[in-house]
Amino acid sequence: MSTERENEHPASRGGAAFLLAQLGAHAAQRFADRVAELDLTPAQAGLLRLLAQAPGHSQRELADMLGMPPSRFVPFADGLQERGLIERRRKPGDRRVHALRLTDEGMELLARLRTVARAHEEDVCQALSPDEHQQLIGLLRRIADQQQLTPGVHVGYRRLR
Amino acid sequence: MSTERENEHPASRGGAAFLLAQLGAHAAQRFADRVAELDLTPAQAGLLRLLAQAPGHSQRELADMLGMPPSRFVPFADGLQERGLIERRRKPGDRRVHALRLTDEGMELLARLRTVARAHEEDVCQALSPDEHQQLIGLLRRIADQQQLTPGVHVGYRRLR
DNA sequence: TGATAATGATTACAGATTGGAACGATTGTC
DNA sequence: GACAATCGTTCCAATCTGTAATCATTATCA
């Protein structure tokens, strides 16, 4: 047949998966721009959030959660430690592990980070009414649940292969 | 106040922006896995799609659309050319530019690519009913329009800084 | 017309980023 | 008490990055 349906939607832009990838990358980039004003990368911000909600993890576990190899995690954490945002403590029970914790300064920065995140959320969803905003969150969570994604982790810090 | 609302949504996972970034990265990764079976990277797949819907572009323009510097575009296109998927033709009017086109073989692969993309779409939105699926696309398009995103391009081929 | 600037494709290259392997220190196993 | 496993760390080679220089072609314009 000559009239093959090449454009299912005329002047379309792909389905939900492509839109998701595109908007996700764009949102991530905007977030990166915002946290850059706090001298943070998204991964650094992710670690701070992680330490706040689950302190005392080993570096290996944290590296896993952020999706980076332990070898790279070391200089990564070094930077935050030198800035006085986190601290390494030998875990009393197991002196191999360095349990990481937020310092007071780190918690202050985290507070500012939360403000930035709220502004970011508003920015991204500016085009939607409050109802639609909640609707979108509902749909996205359904997908996230079904794909078994860990909450708030692996937010694209890993590279695409 | 001691009862500061640290968790606005109990056991929450962030707002729409975070979900978007997370799901987008996840969807992009799954797509990367799928197209890898065709020996393609997402960027290569993107170029094929681009050439199909707008042939005859210069390399510089294409590099721009994909978000990569022209210098990197050259070896990038070389690979596809060596595999016989695209061909370079001197543009008659302006012999500086290499107008890129899909070969027949490239168009065949693109057909398979479309099948993969459809399966990917279904996979990502598996958790949603057809109605909800359309609902999601509508919401995402609203956001994409408001953020003035070019359709189908820049799907995260760029790196985060 | 002819000189000069601008553009496209390509190459060259130096710097950053990547993950795996190896290494000491410590702990679990038996 | 010997041996394997784990954690943090260092080392390193391979890859990937973008900028600048280069060559060919075209536009500008006096």
Side-chain angles (χ1 to χ4, degrees):
Chain A
M1 304 303 166
S2 62
T3 57
E4 208 176 45
R5 50 189 176 118
E6 300 183 0
N7 294 336
E8 303 194 347
H9 321 265
S12 148
R13 19 163 108 91
F18 269 114
L19 280 166
L20 223 46
Q22 188 181 23
L23 284 175
H26 188 253
Q29 182 59 59
R30 297 201 87 163
F31 182 71
D33 293 342
R34 282 183 181 276
V35 298
E37 294 172 10
L38 302 178
D39 274 307
L40 289 177
T41 66
Q44 289 174 324
L47 179 56
L48 296 187
R49 288 200 316 142
L50 223 43
L51 292 183
Q53 69 183 53
H57 271 296
S58 78
Q59 295 190 175
R60 180 167 296 264
E61 289 167 332
L62 292 168
D64 271 354
M65 299 191 218
L66 292 176
M68 60 172 67
S71 60
R72 274 203 304 128
F73 186 88
V74 173
F76 174 71
D78 285 346
L80 293 174
Q81 188 179 25
E82 286 166 12
R83 286 169 63 182
L85 299 175
I86 66 175
E87 61 180 13
R88 285 180 163 103
R89 282 188 197 169
R90 290 287 181 191
K91 193 174 174 186
D94 187 343
R95 272 181 312 187
R96 286 174 303 182
V97 334
H98 275 168
L100 298 194
R101 296 186 169 280
L102 284 179
T103 64
D104 290 347
E105 202 172 342
M107 290 171 71
E108 282 177 29
L109 185 56
L110 184 62
R112 288 211 282 157
L113 197 57
R114 289 201 173 108
T115 303
V116 166
R118 263 190 290 274
H120 173 59
E121 173 79 6
E122 237 179 89
D123 181 15
V124 167
C125 297
Q126 200 179 346
L128 305 182
S129 73
D131 267 3
E132 291 169 326
H133 189 165
Q134 288 308 313
Q135 214 172 16
L136 176 63
I137 292 182
L139 292 172
L140 294 181
R141 287 201 178 156
R142 293 264 302 282
I143 296 180
D145 284 343
Q146 191 255 334
Q147 310 253 352
Q148 301 185 336
L149 294 190
T150 316
V153 183
H154 273 204
V155 199
Y157 305 145
R158 224 191 279 251
R159 227 162 106 233
L160 245 58
R161 289 274 149 228
Chain B
M1 305 298 168
S2 61
T3 58
E4 208 178 43
R5 51 187 176 118
E6 301 183 358
N7 294 334
E8 303 195 347
H9 321 265
S12 147
R13 18 162 111 89
F18 270 116
L19 280 166
L20 223 46
Q22 188 181 24
L23 283 176
H26 188 254
Q29 182 60 60
R30 296 201 85 162
F31 182 71
D33 292 343
R34 282 182 182 276
V35 298
E37 294 172 9
L38 302 177
D39 275 306
L40 289 176
T41 66
Q44 289 174 324
L47 178 56
L48 296 187
R49 288 201 316 142
L50 222 43
L51 292 184
Q53 71 182 53
H57 271 295
S58 77
Q59 294 190 176
R60 179 168 294 266
E61 290 168 331
L62 292 168
D64 271 354
M65 300 190 216
L66 291 176
M68 60 173 69
S71 61
R72 269 199 312 125
F73 186 88
V74 174
F76 174 71
D78 284 347
L80 292 175
Q81 189 179 25
E82 286 166 12
R83 285 169 62 181
L85 300 175
I86 67 175
E87 61 181 13
R88 286 179 163 103
R89 282 188 196 169
R90 289 286 180 191
K91 191 176 174 184
D94 187 342
R95 273 181 313 187
R96 286 175 301 184
V97 335
H98 275 168
L100 297 194
R101 295 184 168 282
L102 284 180
T103 64
D104 290 345
E105 204 173 341
M107 290 171 71
E108 282 178 30
L109 185 55
L110 184 63
R112 289 211 280 157
L113 198 55
R114 288 199 174 112
T115 303
V116 165
R118 263 190 291 274
H120 174 58
E121 173 79 6
E122 236 180 88
D123 181 14
V124 167
C125 297
Q126 201 178 347
L128 305 183
S129 73
D131 267 4
E132 292 170 327
H133 190 166
Q134 287 307 313
Q135 215 173 16
L136 175 63
I137 292 182
L139 293 173
L140 294 181
R141 286 201 178 153
R142 294 264 303 282
I143 296 180
D145 285 342
Q146 190 255 336
Q147 311 252 352
Q148 301 184 337
L149 294 190
T150 315
V153 183
H154 274 203
V155 198
Y157 305 145
R158 226 190 277 252
R159 227 162 107 233
L160 245 56
R161 290 272 147 230

